[in-house]
Every structure is written in C-alpha cells, then in structure tokens.
Amino acid sequence: MSPFLLTRTLPEDATDAALRADVLHGLTCTPKSLPPKWFYDARGSALFDEITTLPEYYPTRAEREILLARAPEIAAATGARTLIELGSGSSDKTRHLIDALTSLETYVPVDVSESALRGAANTLLADRPALGVHALIADFTGGLALPGTQGPRLVAFLGGTVGNLLPQERAAFLSSVRAMLSPGDALLLGTDLVKDEAVLVAAYDDAAGVTAAFNKNVLHVINRELGADFQADAFAHVAVWDRDNEWIEMRLRSRVAQTVKVQALDLAVDFERGEELRTEISAKFREEGVRRELAVAGLELTHWWTDARGRFALSLATAA
C-alpha cells in the first residue's frame, strides 16, 4: 500500500450537523449539558496540550510511564501487524507503542480532525517511512467501518477518554469494539483510577486556570459556529467529585441570571444565577469494574498494568 492514505467516513457537513443537534438538545434539557468533544477546536486542543504539562494533571505522564515500561510486553502479547488508534489526535504517546511493535505493518489513526491526522502521519513517516498509515476521518462513537488490514490487530483507546462516556455509552462503545475484533485481535484501554478526591479535583481545576479556559472554550466554539452570544466571563469553571458515580464533573456555573441567544438555532436559553451547565464527566475506575464492563461486552481482560504510583492503568483484553 502507499505510505499514507486518508479516508473520510464522515460527510463534509457532519460536524456542523452534530454540533447543532448537541447544542439544541443540551441547552434545552434539564439539567443543561454539552458533550466534551466540542472543546477541541484549534484553541481548545492547544489548551489541552498545555493542561497535560501542568503539575496537577498526572494522567498523561502516568500513561506515558506505563507505555515506556510495558510496550515490549504489549508487543509480545499481541504480535500486532495492524495498530488502530481511536481518537488518535497527535499520536504522540502512541509512538512508544509503534516503536515496540516490531511486526507492525499498518497504523490506522482515527480522529474527527483531518489536520491532526495529517500532522501525526507526517511526523510518524519521517521516522518510519516504510510504515503504512491509513488515516480515517471518523467518529468512533457512531460505529466504525475499518479498512481491510492484516491481523493480528491491536485497537488502542488511550488517555482515559473512555471515562468521558456515560455508563450506557461505554457499554455500547465496548460492544462496538468487540464487534470489530477477530480471533487474535486485542484492545488496549487506558483508564484513570479512583484516588484521593483532592488529587482528582486539582487535576481538573489547576491553579494557573488553564483548565478553566479550556472549559469555557466550548462557549467560544458555539459563539463562532452558531452565532451565539455567550459571555465567557459570566460563567465560572467548576470541578466536582461525584462519590456515588466515581467521576469528576466539569461544569460552567452562571454567575448571574442571564439569557443567551443562539442565532443559528433561533434559540433563547435562560440561565438562573448559580445554574450549572455540565460540560464533561471523567469517570475513574477500579480493576474489578473494568474487568466487569469488558466481560459484559464479550471481552476478557488478560493483562493489567499501572504506573508506579497506581494512578492510571492500561489493560489488554481479547475476545472472550
């Protein structure tokens, strides 16, 4: 195959249609909410990259530690000739895995951002010119048609992003991953672990205010794309730990009673003073819970690795 192929499985207007649908639903339901994928325009992605370097934000460093230490074991356990990465972004951490997969022939990064896919491919091919890269512009949460590739295949879903899905969404997602696996294929899953509440809250409410700017960026996205008139300073960033559900919630709390207009939707939205708009959940996990959720989806957990401080885990699962 050629070193780089790019396939679009999303219609050109799919992003705009999805944003409209999510904003209309989220701002008219009770309580109000928005999915976290709308943080990530160019500015939001840059802010998140900055977040990963902050002293309070441990997940990126912890996961990289595991990958550096365990990539040879992952390679030996899977023998993967194809690596499929869901929500690949810059593919930065994945390079440790790619370097260890000595039998790897094809890398299939999956992301909604064409620019991120092209940038990652250019960087990878500069170091691995013989590697086949078949990038997919796709939303992995909406079902995925993968290109024909050689097995064994390793599907990687890193960064703890699975925690951004509600439990029923996670169940559907894991079942969809199971459906794309053939005998001999495996799933590598990154999960942030339950830990001290103060550590968790600080990771989502840093002293420098970068996460607050990241959270409010969703308002700038809606203003720009849908002609809304959100005033970001009229909302406060809030991060709270939900003990019952064992997840962090990021919210935007209205500082005043206000009405926001969304021109493209012909929508006026009232906020009471103190009313909150949920913008993200980030579930934290325990090994037994991950094992159970994988089993329900028809996957068997075969390996479990954590960083030295037990903050984050990578798990390997195969079709049961």
Side-chain angles (χ1 to χ4, degrees):
M1 62 180 293
S2 63
F4 178 65
L5 293 173
L6 182 71
T7 300
R8 176 182 288 276
T9 64
L10 286 175
E12 290 284 354
D13 62 349
T15 300
D16 179 64
L19 176 62
R20 287 170 175 263
D22 286 345
V23 172
L24 179 61
H25 172 73
L27 295 186
T28 57
C29 67
T30 303
K32 298 178 175 68
S33 66
L34 290 169
K37 63 183 177 181
W38 302 116
F39 290 136
Y40 297 96
D41 63 351
R43 179 173 180 267
S45 296
L47 285 168
F48 184 73
D49 286 344
E50 186 176 351
I51 287 169
T52 64
T53 69
L54 295 171
E56 298 97 332
Y57 194 80
Y58 60 85
T60 302
R61 290 187 296 276
E63 186 176 49
R64 182 177 282 109
E65 177 189 322
I66 304 168
L67 283 170
L68 284 168
R70 303 297 186 175
E73 293 177 49
I74 296 168
T78 63
R81 296 172 68 184
T82 298
L83 172 62
I84 300 157
E85 185 178 10
L86 307 179
S88 55
S90 66
S91 303
D92 180 47
K93 288 176 295 189
T94 322
R95 289 174 196 137
H96 305 307
L97 193 55
I98 289 172
D99 289 342
L101 291 168
T102 56
S103 300
L104 190 67
E105 299 174 4
T106 307
Y107 174 51
V108 183
V110 181
D111 204 279
V112 295
S113 169
E114 180 175 347
S115 61
L117 290 168
R118 289 190 180 276
N122 288 338
T123 302
L124 282 172
L125 291 174
D127 297 327
R128 295 280 298 268
L131 179 67
V133 179
H134 190 155
L136 294 183
I137 303 172
D139 181 353
F140 59 81
T141 63
L144 194 60
L146 293 171
T149 53
Q150 292 291 328
R153 299 185 300 174
L154 175 61
V155 177
F157 192 38
L158 303 177
T161 309
V162 69
N164 295 145
L165 304 176
L166 290 164
Q168 63 270 27
E169 295 171 335
R170 284 203 305 272
F173 167 75
L174 291 171
S175 293
S176 72
V177 171
R178 169 62 185 89
M180 68 174 79
L181 298 183
S182 300
D185 295 345
L187 167 67
L188 182 68
L189 183 66
T191 48
D192 196 7
L193 302 180
V194 174
K195 58 186 66 66
D196 182 77
E197 178 177 344
V199 174
L200 287 166
V201 171
Y204 293 84
D205 193 10
D206 62 277
V210 182
T211 310
F214 174 71
N215 193 8
K216 293 182 183 184
N217 190 59
V218 71
L219 305 181
H220 296 297
V221 170
I222 297 171
N223 285 352
R224 183 184 65 243
E225 300 298 330
L226 299 181
D229 61 358
F230 278 103
Q231 299 297 315
D233 290 343
F235 290 85
H237 166 68
V238 179
V240 295
W241 173 241
D242 183 325
R243 292 182 184 86
D244 293 334
N245 289 305
E246 294 193 323
W247 66 46
I248 285 281
E249 285 196 12
M250 287 210 315
R251 306 171 184 168
L252 291 171
R253 179 181 294 155
S254 182
R255 298 181 187 272
V256 295
Q258 57 181 307
T259 299
V260 175
K261 296 178 181 177
V262 186
Q263 184 176 346
L265 302 177
D266 193 24
L267 180 68
V269 184
D270 293 326
F271 285 87
E272 299 295 331
R273 183 183 180 190
E275 185 177 356
E276 294 177 337
L277 167 66
R278 188 176 73 188
T279 52
E280 181 179 86
I281 69 158
S282 185
K284 310 305 170 186
F285 296 88
R286 303 175 189 270
E287 181 179 356
E288 61 270 24
V290 174
R291 185 182 300 275
R292 182 172 58 251
E293 290 193 34
L294 289 169
V296 169
L299 295 160
E300 180 181 1
L301 192 153
T302 61
H303 297 75
W304 177 265
W305 301 284
T306 70
D307 64 294
R309 294 168 63 181
R311 298 168 296 177
F312 198 94
L314 285 181
S315 57
L316 195 68
T318 57

